[in-house]
Amino acid sequence: MSVQFSVSWIYEEFRVARVQRNNLRDVWVSPTPVLDLAGFHEALIAASAALHMNNGGDVAIAFESDAHSHAFIDLPPMNRRDLEKYLARRVEQEKTFDGDAVWSYRQTEQGDGSSGVLLHVMPKGKLDAIIRICQENHLTPMRLLPLTDVMAQHLPPLYQESEEVIVVAALFDERVEIVVANNFGDILFVRELKYHWRDDGLERLRVDLERTVLYVKQRQRSVTRIALMGTEAASAQTVLQSHVNFPIDVDDDSSEAFFWARAVADISNDVTSNFIPKSVQRTALREKAVRAASWLAVAASLSAISVTGWVEYLIHQQRQQDPIVANSISSLNNQRAALLEKAGQLEVLKNQLVELSPAYPAIPAWFLSHLGDLVPEHAVLSVAELSLSDGRWRFKLEGATSPTLAASADTLAEFESKLSRTPWQANVSDNWRVEWMDQLRSGQAAKTGLLGFRLAGEIR
């Protein structure tokens, strides 16, 4: 989805660009490093003044900082729902900070039949603050992607040989980001080095590149080349080529100062590595629909006024030239009244659209009215609760199943399956399985009659 503005905030380097038809029109660079959220707020205000951003618009952000962590996790193939449940539990192990975390991910296929996930984790408070600061400056963030994912999206067009494994080093003023990837853009490994490659850092960078190549070799893969990205990539190539026993390429596109802002502007909002919640994106789409309806009503009103004036002029002219036309004046007046009535109807529709665009959909009545279709044949529902908390609809269902404990498991599994389908796509807690196992261990396998159950979860 196209955006009006693009931001790259990567390791304290801050750049903003106005995007028009996928091209960067106006640009702004922060004269000082942007170290924290306060600096981000000040820089965005300055960029708004320079690029006239106060009229609002959508924004895409390429973001990387020391608050991020990137963990590659080897996993067997699994469906998206199970994968996201597993990653939600894994986040607590991978985060490197205190407090709540938010996460996104990118699935990878390594070409040898194995697969994995690159899990991105960052503090929830930082993401919430970035969204709030953008909104205070009349901007709607539609995507926030980690640097590694922007790099991965850029790689496939550059390398086409199916067995290529590339070590990609992105160079910044105070950091080096090393990514090991194949030509399909599948990331196999990530390293973040907290130094610059120049001067004293050159030897450190050479050693880290060699260590990275050795690590890949230990995983039964062979590196075929090294690629450098960044405004100083060409200079680094000249210095490093005589110290490294691999061909070193330079990504010429990345030498542009606004390359990262340009790259993130071209990526879809729907990638799984996007940190911006769907609820924020949907709010922006609702606001656009309301604005479109307003403009439609204004256009209809102007059209009615224009047609009315033209009809009045024709009546005046014809009245002077042909007395017979006087008999049709009443009909023309009726047509004018009909046009004005249509304009009024459009205004009413616009107001209704505003009223029918709440912050959250009217889930309760919709869900409860269809609940009877979801309850399996051998289940009796006695309690149904639905509540909204932190923008999520959470439910609790209680009742009983029959005739045996073994049969009740199948019944509840069927119930869970129906809840997880479209349109509910519910995430059902595993607690009912735990309770079922407790009943089984307590010797109730042979028990018959009504057996109580509880299902809890949230509607996605």
Side-chain angles (χ1 to χ4, degrees):
M1 181 178 294
S2 62
V3 292
Q4 285 77 52
F5 300 99
S6 182
V7 174
S8 65
W9 184 18
I10 300 175
Y11 294 126
E12 303 173 5
E13 299 178 24
F14 193 86
R15 293 175 170 85
V16 185
R18 179 189 294 275
V19 183
Q20 185 177 15
R21 296 178 182 175
N22 295 326
N23 294 314
L24 305 188
R25 295 302 182 188
D26 301 315
V27 296
W28 183 85
V29 181
S30 174
T32 58
V34 176
L35 306 178
D36 50 25
L37 291 170
F40 173 70
H41 198 179
E42 293 175 3
L44 201 59
I45 291 174
S48 296
L51 302 181
H52 308 291
M53 301 165 70
N54 291 334
N55 291 330
D58 297 339
V59 61
I61 304 172
F63 177 68
E64 194 65 48
S65 76
D66 292 336
H68 268 139
S69 65
H70 310 284
F72 185 83
I73 305 171
D74 289 309
L75 289 173
M78 61 180 70
N79 62 50
R80 180 167 176 172
R81 180 186 172 199
D82 291 340
L83 172 62
E84 292 182 353
K85 279 186 175 181
Y86 174 81
L87 294 178
R89 295 191 295 267
R90 186 67 181 263
V91 165
E92 291 301 314
Q93 303 175 29
E94 301 297 339
K95 70 178 184 179
T96 57
F97 49 84
D98 296 328
D100 294 337
V102 289
W103 54 277
S104 65
Y105 68 96
R106 179 181 180 86
Q107 289 184 275
T108 65
E109 298 293 338
Q110 299 186 26
D112 58 357
S114 60
S115 61
V117 168
L118 182 62
L119 178 65
H120 309 294
V121 184
M122 68 180 290
K124 183 178 185 297
K126 191 155 193 172
L127 176 65
D128 292 344
I130 290 173
I131 293 174
R132 185 182 67 254
I133 291 169
C134 287
Q135 292 172 339
E136 289 173 356
N137 286 274
H138 311 290
L139 299 170
T140 301
M142 298 300 287
R143 52 187 173 274
L144 187 148
L145 301 178
L147 171 65
T148 51
D149 208 71
V150 180
M151 294 172 69
Q153 297 278 357
H154 182 65
L155 287 176
L158 300 180
Y159 303 99
Q160 299 299 329
E161 298 180 19
S162 60
E163 298 302 321
E164 289 258 356
V165 175
I166 314 107
V167 173
V168 187
L171 310 178
F172 299 93
D173 283 345
E174 301 297 334
R175 298 286 190 279
V176 176
E177 185 94 356
I178 294 181
V179 165
V180 179
N182 61 24
N183 63 298
F184 301 111
D186 292 327
I187 297 177
L188 314 179
F189 183 61
V190 177
R191 296 187 67 190
E192 296 170 320
L193 309 178
K194 297 183 179 181
Y195 58 81
H196 193 279
W197 70 272
R198 296 191 211 97
D199 305 327
D200 296 340
L202 175 61
E203 178 62 19
R204 294 177 65 185
L205 178 58
R206 182 190 67 78
V207 170
D208 281 322
L209 287 173
E210 289 182 348
R211 287 176 176 173
T212 303
V213 171
L214 180 60
Y215 173 80
V216 176
K217 187 176 181 180
Q218 291 172 347
R219 295 174 66 94
Q220 286 75 50
R221 304 297 293 271
S222 296
V223 174
T224 55
R225 67 183 69 213
I226 295 173
L228 301 179
M229 302 180 73
T231 56
E232 297 183 275
S235 301
Q237 179 195 36
T238 302
V239 176
L240 285 173
Q241 185 63 79
S242 59
H243 295 79
V244 179
N245 296 324
F246 290 93
I248 299 182
D249 298 335
V250 172
D251 182 356
D252 293 331
D253 290 340
S254 71
S255 63
E256 299 179 8
F258 284 83
F259 167 76
W260 302 110
R262 182 191 301 277
V264 75
D266 293 335
I267 300 174
S268 168
N269 296 335
D270 297 326
V271 293
T272 55
S273 53
N274 187 3
F275 274 103
I276 301 299
K278 289 290 185 183
S279 58
V280 175
Q281 298 177 39
R282 285 194 293 268
T283 297
L285 295 175
R286 282 197 298 269
E287 291 174 352
K288 288 179 182 178
V290 171
R291 286 198 296 270
S294 299
W295 280 110
L296 181 61
V298 170
S301 299
L302 292 175
S303 175
I305 293 172
S306 175
V307 170
T308 299
W310 180 246
V311 169
E312 291 282 5
Y313 172 76
L314 291 178
I315 290 173
H316 177 72
Q317 290 294 100
Q318 290 294 334
R319 184 181 294 170
Q320 292 180 345
Q321 297 174 11
D322 189 352
I324 300 176
V325 176
N327 294 329
S328 63
I329 289 177
S330 177
S331 174
L332 291 172
N333 283 334
N334 290 338
Q335 293 179 29
R336 178 181 65 177
L339 284 171
L340 293 174
E341 183 180 359
K342 275 194 173 180
Q345 291 173 349
L346 283 172
E347 182 67 22
V348 171
L349 288 174
K350 183 199 76 172
N351 293 333
Q352 289 177 344
L353 179 59
V354 173
E355 293 174 359
L356 294 174
S357 300
Y360 303 101
I363 292 293
W366 187 32
F367 179 68
L368 295 176
S369 65
H370 288 79
L371 194 53
D373 299 330
L374 303 176
V375 178
E377 179 181 358
H378 297 295
V380 177
L381 188 64
S382 57
V383 175
E385 296 181 4
L386 190 63
S387 60
L388 181 64
S389 176
D390 298 329
R392 298 173 180 270
W393 286 106
R394 292 183 169 85
F395 62 84
K396 182 171 70 174
L397 306 175
E398 296 183 6
T401 65
S402 62
T404 65
L405 186 62
S408 71
D410 295 335
T411 300
L412 293 179
E414 179 187 354
F415 204 171
E416 179 183 27
S417 174
K418 288 183 177 181
L419 288 167
S420 64
R421 296 172 190 164
T422 302
W424 314 114
Q425 298 183 355
N427 286 330
V428 180
S429 168
D430 289 334
N431 288 342
W432 72 265
R433 290 186 173 87
V434 175
E435 293 175 356
W436 187 88
M437 288 297 298
D438 290 342
Q439 290 178 310
L440 183 64
R441 293 190 189 101
S442 64
Q444 299 184 43
K447 183 178 179 180
T448 60
L450 294 179
L451 301 171
F453 73 84
R454 286 181 295 179
L455 289 181
E458 62 182 40
I459 299 172
R460 296 180 61 187

